[in-house]
Amino acid sequence: MSFADPCLILLDCQRDQVTGSNGKIDPVNQAVIDRIRELLRHARQSGWRVCHCQFQGEGSVAGRAPIDGLRPTAQEAVFKRRGLSAFSDPFFHQVLARSAGSSALLVGFSAPFSILATVFDDANRDKALTVVPEAVGALAVEPRDVAETRAMAFDLVARMAPMMSWENLTQDWSVDAPTA
């Protein structure tokens, strides 16, 4: 790991954040999962700092299990929180403090809720999270489908946080495209 290596933050990469009411994963979210898996693989091989921030609300623990292929390793920090924002974990801000001077890439799920809340808190703290839209998913928020929900969330996110396209990410850090 070098000083210039980014920190990869996986927010809400949990089963209940991608499984729709029909019990299936929307194709848009499956593509997001595939991109995050590839980015996570690259980050681990390249020695990037990786951390996971998971929502720990009420209800079934089984549904909150990590998505297959996105499980944290023993060396990766895991923050469990009850609030929407990643900053609701009192130690999360330390990840960004340790990453000062390098990029902190935010990917994951719950775009209209946890991602937006985290970006909002980040803007208020003058930190530097960069969102990778193609690696962020959402469940449908009626009457919108998954794609419309993501578009609505990114309209707001783009007003508060820098974003990096998947294309720029793959060029800047030599991340491979996911194999389908």
Side-chain angles (χ1 to χ4, degrees), residues 60-113:
S60 168
V61 174
R64 289 190 304 270
I67 297 166
D68 292 337
L70 302 180
R71 294 181 185 282
T73 67
Q75 295 80 30
E76 295 167 351
V78 178
F79 299 94
K80 301 220 180 217
R81 64 186 208 292
R82 293 206 179 272
L84 283 179
S85 170
F87 289 97
S88 65
D89 182 291
F91 299 105
F92 179 75
H93 72 280
Q94 294 175 0
V95 169
L96 297 180
R98 283 188 225 120
S99 298
S102 64
S103 297
L105 303 174
L106 180 62
V107 301
F109 290 90
S110 190
F113 302 108

Side-chain angles (χ1 to χ4, degrees), residues 7 13 34 38 41 43 50 53 63 74 91 99-100 112 117-118 123 126 151 160 166 174 177:
C7 173
C13 290
D34 295 342
E38 184 55 36
R41 183 200 60 74
V50 175
C53 191
F91 299 105
S99 298
T118 300
D126 293 324
M160 292 182 284
W166 186 259
S174 301

